[in-house]
C-alpha cells in the first residue's frame, strides 16, 4: 500500500487560514461566463457546463457531480488552461478544490487521463496546476499547489520523478515563517507524505531544515501541529528516524507548553514512533531526557484523557523513558540534565555520595561538563538553574580540591562571582556558598551555617 495505514485521510488546514478566507470571498463572487464564450476564450461545450454548474448550491453540485462528474472536471481542467484573467481563474480553482473536498471525486481526475473528450484527446489531471505555480498571483499559486498535492496523492495518480523533485523544491522555497500561505504549503505536504514514494525526495530536499527553523520560533498551535504531523508520517520509516532526532528538542519545548490536545497527541505519536523505529532507541530517549520529556510526560499521565489513544501513547513513552533512565548510569543522567540546559534540585545535585563518586568525571572530554555549566552561568536566566549550577561548582571543588585550578582556568569563578549581583536571593546564597567552598576547606562547617 502506498498510503500509511491506520490514519485519517482528511487534512484540515488552518482554522482561519488565508487560503480558506480568500476562497470564501472568491466563491461568492459572480462570474460572467458569456463574454468568455463570445471572445472564444472558452468553448461552447465548456461554457454550457460551467455556467450551469456555477449557479448551483452546494447540495445541487454534489448531486450533479454524481451524475456528470467527469464532464465537470474535464471542463474545469480546460478552463485552468484557457483562462488568463486572474480573478476568473481564481474562481475556477476554488471550484476545482471544492470538487476535491470529497476525496471520492478523485476518480474523475483519474478518468480524465484515460478517457478521450469530444475533441478526441485526453487531458493531464495534474499538469495545469503544476504550470500555474509559475504565476505571480499568490492565491492562484498556493491554491494550485494544494490542488496538485491532492490530485497526485489522494488516488492512483502519481507525479514523475523529475516533476516531483521540482515541486518539492518549490515547496521548500515557500517554507518561511512570514509566508501568509504557510498553512497551505504544510497542508500540501501533509497530503503528499502519506504516499511512501514521495518521502525520500522530501527528506533529501531542504524541507526538513526549513521546518526545523520554523518550529524553533514562536508559531501558532496549528502550524506546530502541521509540522509535527509531517514528522510523524516520516517516523514510520527507520531510514528517516536519524534525521528526525534534531526535532526532539524543539518539540519537547512545545510539549512542555502545549495546551491544545491535538498538538499533544501528535507529538506523543511522533515520540512513540521514533522510539519504536529508530535502530538505536537509546539515542532519541537520551535527547528526550535532556529535553525533560520524562517530566512533562509524568505530568500528562495525571490528566484524565477522554481520548484513549493519547493516554496509551503517554504511558508507552513514559515506560520507555523510565526504563532508559534506570539503564543509564547516574552520571549519564546528570550529563543529560546539564545538556538539557534546565537544572533542578534533585539527589543528583544534593547527594554527597554522588559527588564523591563522580566529581572527577566532570574533567572528562576536556572538562565538557564544566564548560557547559559555564555557558549556563553566562546565558541562563532561570533562577533555579543558576542556583544549581553554582551549587555544582562548589560541590565539584569540595570533593575534588585540585579542581579549583580548573574552575579558575575555565573562568567559572568569575561567572559565579557575577551571580552575587543576581536579584534572586537563592541564587545569591548559592553563589556565596560556592565561592566560600572555593576559598576554604571546612566544608561541613559551612554547610551547617545555611548560606
Amino acid at each position: 500500500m502506498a498510503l500509511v495505514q491506520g490514519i485519517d485521510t482528511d487534512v484540515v488546514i488552518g482554522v482561519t487560514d488565508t487560503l480558506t478566507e480568500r476562497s470564501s470571498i472568491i466563491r461568492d463572487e459572480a462570474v460572467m461566463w458569456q463574454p468568455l464564450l463570445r471572445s472564444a476564450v472558452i468553448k461552447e461545450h465548456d461554457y454550457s457546463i460551467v455556467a450551469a454548474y456555477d449557479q448551483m448550491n452546494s447540495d445541487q453540485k454534489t448531486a450533479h457531480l454524481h451524475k456528470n462528474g467527469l464532464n465537470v472536471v474535464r471542463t474545469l481542467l480546460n478552463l485552468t488552461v484557457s483562462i488568463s484573467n486572474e480573478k476568473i481563474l481564481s474562481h475556477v480553482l476554488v471550484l476545482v478544490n471544492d470538487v476535491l473536498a470529497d476525496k471520492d471525486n478523485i476518480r474523475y481526475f483519474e478518468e480524465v487521463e484515460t478517457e478521450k473528450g469530444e475533441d478526441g484527446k485526453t487531458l493531464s489531471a495534474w499538469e495545469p496546476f503544476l504550470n500555474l505555480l509559475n504565476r505571480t498571483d499568490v492565491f492562484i499559486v498556493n491554491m494550485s499547489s494544494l490542488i496538485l498535492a491532492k490530485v497526485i496523492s489522494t488516488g492512483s495518480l502519481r507525479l514523475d520523478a523529475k516533476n516531483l523533485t521540482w515541486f518539492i523544491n518549490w515547496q521548500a522555497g515557500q517554507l518561511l515563517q512570514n509566508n501568509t500561505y504557510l498553512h497551505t504549503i504544510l497542508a500540501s505536504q501533509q497530503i503528499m507524505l502519506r504516499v511512501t514514494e514521495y518521502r525520500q525526495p522530501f527528506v533529501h530536499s531542504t524541507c526538513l531544515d526549513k521546518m526545523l527553523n520554523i518550529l524553533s520560533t514562536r508559531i501558532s498551535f496549528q502550524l506546530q501541529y502541521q509540522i509535527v504531523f509531517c514528522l510523524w508520517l516520516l517516523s514510520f520509516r527507520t531510514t528517516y528516524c536519524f534525521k528526525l532526532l534534531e526535532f526532539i528538542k524543539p518539540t519537547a519545548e512545545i510539549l512542555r507548553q502545549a495546551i491544545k490536545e491535538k498538538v499533544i497527541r501528535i507529538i506523543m505519536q511522533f515520540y512513540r514512533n521514533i522510539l519504536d523505529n529508530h535502530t538505536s532507541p537509546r539515542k532519541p530517549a537520551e535527547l528526550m531526557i535532556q529535553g525533560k520529556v520524562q517530566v512533562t510526560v509524568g505530568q500528562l499521565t495525571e490528566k484524565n484523557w477522554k481520548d484513549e489513544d493519547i493516554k496509551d501513547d503517554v504511558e508507552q513513552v513514559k515506560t520507555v523513558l523510565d526504563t532508559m533512565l534506570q539503564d543509564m548510569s547516574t552520571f549519564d543522567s546528570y550529563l543529560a540534565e546539564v545538556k538539557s540546559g534546565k537544572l533542578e534540585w534533585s539527589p543528583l545535585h544534593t547527594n554527597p555520595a554522588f559527588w564523591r563518586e563522580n566529581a572527577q568525571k566532570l574533567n572528562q572530554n576536556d572538562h565538557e561538563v564544566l564548560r557547559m555549566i559555564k555557558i549556563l552561568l553566562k546565558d541562563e536566566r532561570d533562577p533555579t538553574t543558576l542556583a544549581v549550577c553554582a551549587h555544582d561548582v562548589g560541590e565539584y571543588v569540595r570533593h575534588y580540591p585540585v579542581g579549583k585550578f580548573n574552575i579558575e582556568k575555565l573562568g567559572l569563578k568569575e561567572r559565579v562571582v557575577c551571580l552575587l549581583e543576581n536579584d534572586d536571593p537563592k541564587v545569591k546564597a548559592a553563589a556565596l556558598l560556592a565561592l566560600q567552598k572555593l576559598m576554604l576547606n571546612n566544608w561541613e562547617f559551612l554547610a551547617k551555617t545555611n548560606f
Side-chain angles (χ1 to χ4, degrees), residues 164-368:
L164 176 63
T165 299
W166 186 91
F167 184 34
I168 291 176
N169 287 335
W170 178 89
Q171 289 177 324
Q174 310 304 308
L175 289 173
L176 302 169
Q177 186 185 4
N178 61 355
N179 182 357
T180 55
Y181 284 89
L182 183 55
H183 287 98
T184 305
I185 299 302
L186 291 171
S188 301
Q189 295 177 322
Q190 285 177 267
I191 296 168
M192 291 177 61
L193 288 175
R194 301 171 189 271
V195 183
T196 303
E197 55 262 42
Y198 291 166
R199 294 178 195 160
Q200 184 171 338
F202 179 90
V203 171
H204 288 169
S205 74
T206 59
C207 285
L208 284 176
D209 293 332
K210 297 291 189 69
M211 284 182 169
L212 183 62
N213 290 336
I214 295 171
L215 204 61
S216 301
T217 61
R218 292 179 62 86
I219 55 176
S220 69
F221 77 86
Q222 178 63 28
L223 291 175
Q224 292 173 344
Y225 173 80
Q226 289 182 268
I227 291 176
V228 181
F229 189 98
C230 292
L231 305 179
W232 171 63
L233 289 173
L234 292 173
S235 66
F236 282 90
R237 289 288 300 274
T238 298
T239 311
Y240 309 136
C241 284
F242 178 79
K243 179 68 174 176
L244 298 177
L245 290 177
E246 56 192 347
F247 286 91
I248 291 178
K249 182 177 180 180
T251 52
E253 183 64 29
I254 291 170
L255 182 65
R256 188 158 42 244
Q257 302 176 18
I259 299 174
K260 293 292 183 178
E261 189 170 293
K262 64 187 288 185
V263 176
I264 296 172
R265 181 195 303 114
I266 198 64
I267 292 177
M268 296 312 302
Q269 291 175 335
F270 168 55
Y271 284 172
R272 186 171 180 177
N273 265 11
I274 203 168
L275 288 168
D276 287 343
N277 298 327
H278 198 284
T279 53
S280 177
R282 183 184 178 93
K283 291 182 179 179
E286 287 179 346
L287 290 172
M288 291 179 197
I289 291 168
Q290 290 175 22
K292 300 297 181 65
V293 172
Q294 76 279 11
V295 177
T296 307
V297 170
Q299 296 167 348
L300 293 177
T301 57
E302 298 175 1
K303 292 190 175 183
N304 294 320
W305 299 104
K306 295 180 181 179
D307 188 334
E308 288 296 322
D309 288 338
I310 295 184
K311 182 179 179 181
D312 183 53
D313 289 333
V314 168
E315 290 177 349
Q316 287 295 322
V317 172
K318 183 178 185 300
T319 298
V320 174
L321 295 183
D322 286 347
T323 302
M324 196 64 66
L325 273 170
Q326 292 174 6
D327 291 342
M328 293 171 66
S329 71
T330 306
F331 186 73
D332 285 338
S333 300
Y334 176 80
L335 180 60
E337 184 179 7
V338 174
K339 286 182 176 180
S340 77
K342 297 293 181 183
L343 276 58
E344 298 174 355
W345 291 113
S346 70
L348 285 177
H349 305 278
T350 60
N351 187 352
F354 169 81
W355 289 105
R356 283 195 297 270
E357 182 179 346
N358 295 290
Q360 292 191 49
K361 293 183 180 178
L362 272 63
N363 301 324
Q364 294 177 353
N365 299 323
D366 192 25
H367 308 97
E368 176 189 21

Side-chain angles (χ1 to χ4, degrees), residues 19-157:
L19 190 88
T20 301
E21 291 177 345
R22 291 283 297 126
S23 295
S24 180
I25 296 170
I26 293 170
R27 187 181 293 109
D28 293 337
E29 293 176 342
V31 174
M32 303 298 292
W33 298 105
Q34 196 163 21
L36 296 176
L37 175 63
R38 288 198 300 265
S39 59
V41 172
I42 62 176
K43 297 179 180 179
E44 185 169 351
H45 176 73
D46 290 331
Y47 165 76
S48 63
I49 291 177
V50 72
Y53 181 75
D54 196 28
Q55 293 299 312
M56 298 176 187
N57 61 36
S58 180
D59 291 338
Q60 290 171 333
K61 286 177 180 176
T62 299
H64 187 68
L65 286 171
H66 284 309
K67 297 178 181 178
N68 201 32
L70 179 59
N71 286 330
V72 171
V73 169
R74 187 184 297 278
T75 289
L76 293 176
L77 287 172
N78 285 335
L79 298 183
T80 61
V81 175
S82 61
I83 294 175
S84 58
N85 180 283
E86 290 181 348
K87 183 177 180 180
I88 300 176
L89 179 57
S90 296
H91 190 87
V92 172
L93 292 174
V94 170
L95 293 178
V96 175
N97 194 48
D98 287 348
V99 171
L100 287 167
D102 182 347
K103 62 181 181 294
D104 290 336
N105 289 336
I106 191 65
R107 67 182 187 273
Y108 303 127
F109 290 82
E110 295 168 344
E111 291 175 16
V112 155
E113 293 218 344
T114 58
E115 296 190 16
K116 295 180 180 180
E118 288 191 343
D119 57 2
K121 298 179 180 179
T122 58
L123 288 172
S124 169
W126 55 263
E127 190 172 359
F129 308 109
L130 186 69
N131 292 335
L132 288 176
L133 297 182
N134 294 312
R135 297 290 287 260
T136 57
D137 183 271
V138 290
F139 177 83
I140 290 175
V141 168
N142 284 281
M143 178 60 90
S144 297
S145 73
L146 181 62
I147 293 172
L148 177 58
K150 291 180 179 180
V151 170
I152 64 173
S153 306
T154 308
S156 61
L157 297 175

